[in-house]
Amino acid sequence: MAVTREAMLEPWEQPAFWRRLTIWDALWTLLVAVGASYAGWFYRAEMDGYEVAILFGGALALIAWGLYWKPARLFALAVALLALLALWRYGTDYELRKSDFLLKYFLESQAAFMWMSALYVLATVAYFAALFSRSEFVGKTATALTWSATVLGMTGLLTRWRESYLLGADIGHIPVSNLYEVFILFALITALLYLFYEDRHRTRAMGGFALLAISGAVAFLLWYTFDREAHHIQPLIPALQSYWMKIHVPANFIGYGAFALAAMLGVAYLLRQRAETRHPDGLLAVVLPPLELLDDVMYKAIALGFAAFTIATILGALWAAEAWGGYWSWDPKETWALIVWLNYAAWLHLRLTKGWRGAPMAWWAIVGLFVTLFAFLGVNMFLSGLHSYGTL
Amino acid sequence: MSDTVTARKPFQRRTLGWVLLEFLGSMNLAITLLVVVAVASIIGTVLQQNQSYPDYVLKFGPFWFETFDRLGLYDVYGAVWFIAILGFLVLSTSVCLYRQVPGMAREMVRFRTQVRLESLRGFHQHAEWWLPEQLPGSVLAEVTGAFRARGYRWRVQDHGDHQVAAAMKGRYQRLGYLFTHAAVVVIGIGGLLDGNLWLKLKEWRGEIAVETRDLAARDVPPVSRLAPGATPSFRGNIMLPEGSAANFVFLRLRDGFLVQELPFAIELKDFQVEYHATGQPKSFVSQVRIHDREHLGDRPLEATIRVNHPLIYRDYAIYQSDFGDGGSKLELRIWPLTGGRLEPVEVKGEVGGALKVAGPAGLFGLELTEFRLFNLMPEPGARPGDRKFRNFGPSVGFKLRAPAGEAREYLNYMAPVQLEGRWFFVSGVRARPGAEFAYLHIPADANDSPERFLRFNARLRDEEGLRALLTRAPAPTGNPDFQRDLAQVRLNLVELFLQGGFAAVTERARAVVPADRLQEATKLYLEILRDTLAEVFIEVLRAEGMKPEQGVGEREDAFFNDALSALATLPAYGSPFYPQLTGFQQVEASGLQVTHSNATGVVYAGFAFLSIGVFLLFYTSHRRLWAWIAAEEGGSRLILAGAGNRRQAEFAREFAALETVLARRLGAPEPRADN
Ligand code: HEM
C-alpha cells in the first residue's frame, strides 16, 4: 500500500474536525455568512419565513460544500462576483441588456448561456483530444474550459433570476421553472459533479464522456432556443408559485445529473472492456479510463443520485400535499419518478447484495439514463398530467 | 458484506413457513418486485386514468374497452392486482428486515474478538510488524492508543498465546439499513391506509354503491352517501358557484361517484382569477366562509384559499384545485339560418341549463355548457415559437340537440374577430367531443353585426321572393319562355348551392353534362350562380339604403366574397340557428378539493426515516480494526487488519494513516507479501 503524503503527515492524534480547519476555511464561512445575511436583509421585504429558511439553509449548504471541496469556493466567488457585476450594470433597467456592452456580450443571461454552450462543446473536444494525445496541457485546458463554462452558466442563471424581477415584480421567480431553465441547471450540475470526481480521483480520462452528456443538453438547448424560442422569461403559473420549487427542482437535478454521469461512465466502461478484449495493445485499451475507476465512480454517482432523488421525491410529495391536496396522486411525472427510483434501487441491490459488477451494471446504468430521460423529458412531451412544466 | 455473518444452523428443518420466509425474503424476489412495480406503474402513465367511460369506449372500441375495464386499467393504481404487487414488495421488505435486523443488531454490538490469524492476513487492508524486544502489553497500549485517537471503541480478549484487540466505529451505518427498509414498509402501510382501500372494503361488503347517474347531490340515495368519519381518509371535489355553499364533496370512483358529507359547510363568497399582462393566469383565489355551528357557533370562519395555500380546518384540508362556470347568465339572440324570414328570437339562459328552440323539424334543445370571459389563443397564422397571443374575448359553448336526439357542440365568440384585415363572427362546430372544431366565419357588417349576412342568407332561402326578383326585369331577348327557363335554372343553382356549397353545383354539372363539355358547362353554371348571388346581394344592399347603381365599394366586394365562403360552409355547419351571444353576467365557480387523511403522519415519518436512512447507508461506513498481538521469542508480533462495509477508498486511506502512525512509533512494518 503506497503511503500518501497526507498520511505521512498525519499526527498521532487525529485532531477534531474544527481544529483541522484553516484560516481560509474560517474566512470562507464568514464570507458566506455575511453575504447571505446581507442578501437576506436587502431582500427582506420580498421573502417570507420559508424563503428566509431556504436562504440560510442554502448558505449552510454552500459553506459545507466549500469546506468539503475547496475548488467550490473559487467557483462560488467567481459566480458571485460576475452576478453582482451584472446586477450592478443592470440597475433597474431591463432594456440595458441590449445596450450595455458588458451585459450584451457577456453577462446578460442569454449571452452567458451562449458562452456556456460554446465552452462546454469546446471542453468536450478538448477532453477527447487530451485523452488521445495524452497531453497534460490539453487536459488542463479542458478542465479550465469546463470550469469557465460552469461559472458563466451559473452566472447566467443568477442574472436571469434578477432579470425576471426586472420584467415585473409579479413575474420574478427562480429560474428553474420550465424545461429551458432546468436544462441549463442539468448541464451545470452534471459538470460540477464531474469536476468533483475529476478532482478527487485525479484523472481527466472520464471528462470526454461526462462532457458528451452535457453537450447533448447544450444541443437540445440551442434547438429549443432558436427553433422554439423557449428562452423568453415567462411568468409563473399559479401552481408553481411556491417556495417548494426552490428546493424540489434543484434536488431533482442533482439526481438527474448524477444518473447521466453514471450512464456516460457506463459507456466508457463498455468501450474500454471491448477494447481490452479485442485489441489489448491498441490505443483505446490504454487511454480509456481504467475499469475499476469507472466501476467505482459509477457506483458513487448512482448512490449520490439515488440519495438526492430520494430527497427530491420526498420534497415533491410534500409540495404535492400542499398544492394538490395529497402527497401522492399517481400523476405521470410522480409515477415516473418512482419508476426511476425503483430502477436504481434494483441496481444498487444487484451490486451490493448480489455482487454484480462490470458490463451488466454498465448496461443497466445506460438503460437507466433512458428511463431517467423519459421521466425528465418524455413525460412532458407525451403524457398529460398535473405537472405543469409545459410541453415542448 | 464480507463481514456480515449470517449464522444459520446447518440442519434446520425446512418447514413450509421457513420455505415461504426464505422465498419472501430472498434478494431475487426483492429485485424482481422492484422491477415489476416499476414496469406495472408505466401502464397508468400511458393510459390516461379515471376519464369518463364513454370517452374510453370511443377511444378503444367496445371490445378493448371491456377488456381494459376487466383488468382495472382505468384505475390501475387502485386495481387489486396492482395493490397486491405493492403489498408483496412491502411484505418482502418486512421479511427481509425480520431476517436481517437481528444479525445487524449483533453486528452493531459485537466486537468479534474471535478471529483467526489467516483470515486477518487475508484482509485487503492489513499490516504486520515484528517487534523485537517489545512486550505484548506495551504493543497493545500503543495500538489501542491509536484506536482511541481515531474514535474507535474496542475490546481486548486474551486467547492465551495471543491477544486480540477488536475495534469498531461507525456502527450506526447499520441503522441506515434499518431506517431505509423500515421506511419502505411504513410508507407502504401509510399509503395503503390513505388510499381508497376503505371504500373498496365497504363496497365489497355491499354497504355502499357507486352512483353512476347524473344526479344532483341532494337526490343521491343514502347507499351512495358517506357520513363524516365513515372512512378514515378521503379526497373529494366540489365545484362551488359564487354565492353558494355545500356541506359535501364528490368522490369519483370508476364511472360514477359517491357523496361524502362534511361536518361543516363551505360557502364561496367570491372567486377571482387574476391575469398577467400577457394573459396567462396569475392567481386563483377563493374567499370562503366555513359554517360550523357546533365548533364556530354563529360566527363563520372567513378564509382565503389559493393555489399552494390550502385552508386547514379541523382535520380537513381545503385546496384550490380547479375553476369553472357557476351558471353565468347569458343573453342570446337566436337567428334562423334555414328560413326565408329573418326573425331572431331573444332568449335568456344559464350555463348548465338547457333551452328549447323551435327549429324546422321540431323543438331543438340548446344546452349551454360553458361561458368564458377570456380566450387567450395563439395569434392566427403565428408559428408555434412566436409566442404571440391574442384575447378573442368572451365565448359561449353549447350543445344543440336535434329533435331526433343527436347533438353537436358549438363554440361561439361574442365579439367579431379580425382576420386578414376583415371582421368575422366566428363559430366552431364539432360532432364529437374532443375532435377539432371546424369554423364558420360570418362576415360582420358595418354595424358590427352579423345581420347583413343573415339577411342575405334569408333572402336566398325565400323562394318566392327570389323568383319574383329574378323574373322582374324584362326578358332580354323578348322571349318570356327563355326568361322563365333561365330563372328556373338560376333558382335551382341557388338551391343546390345552399344545400351543398359550390361542390354540389359542380357535382350536378358532372351528372348532367357530357364529359367533353363538362369544363365549359361548369364554368357557365358557376358564373350564372355568382351573378345570381350578386344580384340578390345588391338587393340586400339596396334594402339597407345604399345605392348600388353608383358602384359598389371594395368593402362590399370583400364582404360578398366572404359571405359566399360562409354560405358554402353552412351546410356542414349543421345547425338551423346561429345563436349570437348578446349579453352576459358571469358567475364563476371555484373547484375545491377537500381531503381528510389519518395516515399522513405515518407516511411523513416514513419519509424522515428514508431520508436519514439513505444518507447513513451511503455516507457512513461500519469499520472494524483488529490487532492480533502475540508474544514470540525475543519480541512480539503484531498483525493489524481492517475492513469497512462501505466507502472502501476512504477506508484504505484511513488504514494507511493508521499504519503510518504506528510505523512512526513502532518502526516500519514488514513488507507485504502480496504487494
Ligand atoms: C423499495 C424497496 C427497497 C429500497 C428502496 C431499498 C433500498 C436500499 C438501499 C438504498 C440500499 C443500500 C445500497 C448500497 O449501499 O449500495 C439497500 C441495501 C440492502 N437492501 Fe434494500 N431496498 C428495498 C427493498 C429491499 C428488500 C425487499 C430486501 C430484501 C430482500 C432488501 C435487502 C437489502 C439488503 C440485504 C441490503 C444491504 C444492506 C447492507 O449490507 O448494508 N432491500 N437497500
Side-chain angles (χ1 to χ4, degrees), chain A residues 109-110 160 180-181 224-226 228-234, chain B residues 387:
Chain A
S109 61
Q110 279 316 303
R160 188 179 171 93
Y180 175 80
E181 292 166 344
Y224 209 33
T225 306
F226 291 112
R228 295 303 179 91
E229 307 218 4
H231 57 283
H232 297 291
I233 296 176
Q234 298 286 329
Chain B
R387 288 166 202 264

Side-chain angles (χ1 to χ4, degrees), chain A residues 299 303 306 310 341-342 344-349 351-353, chain B residues 1 4 24-31 33-34 88-97 100 104 173-174 176-177 180-181 184 610 613-614 617-618 645-646:
Chain A
Y299 169 68
F306 187 81
T310 304
W341 190 72
L342 291 171
Y344 286 107
W347 193 97
L348 287 167
H349 283 95
R351 190 187 143 101
L352 188 78
T353 58
Chain B
M1 293 221 315
T4 311
L24 282 174
S26 81
M27 204 60 229
N28 288 344
L29 179 72
I31 293 172
L33 282 172
L34 288 174
F88 252 102
L89 182 60
V90 171
L91 187 65
S92 159
T93 314
S94 321
V95 172
C96 183
L97 272 167
Q100 298 277 340
M104 298 234 179
Q173 199 272 346
R174 305 282 177 184
Y177 169 84
T180 309
H181 293 79
V184 171
L610 190 58
V614 287
L617 263 178
F618 293 136
N645 71 340
R646 290 290 193 293

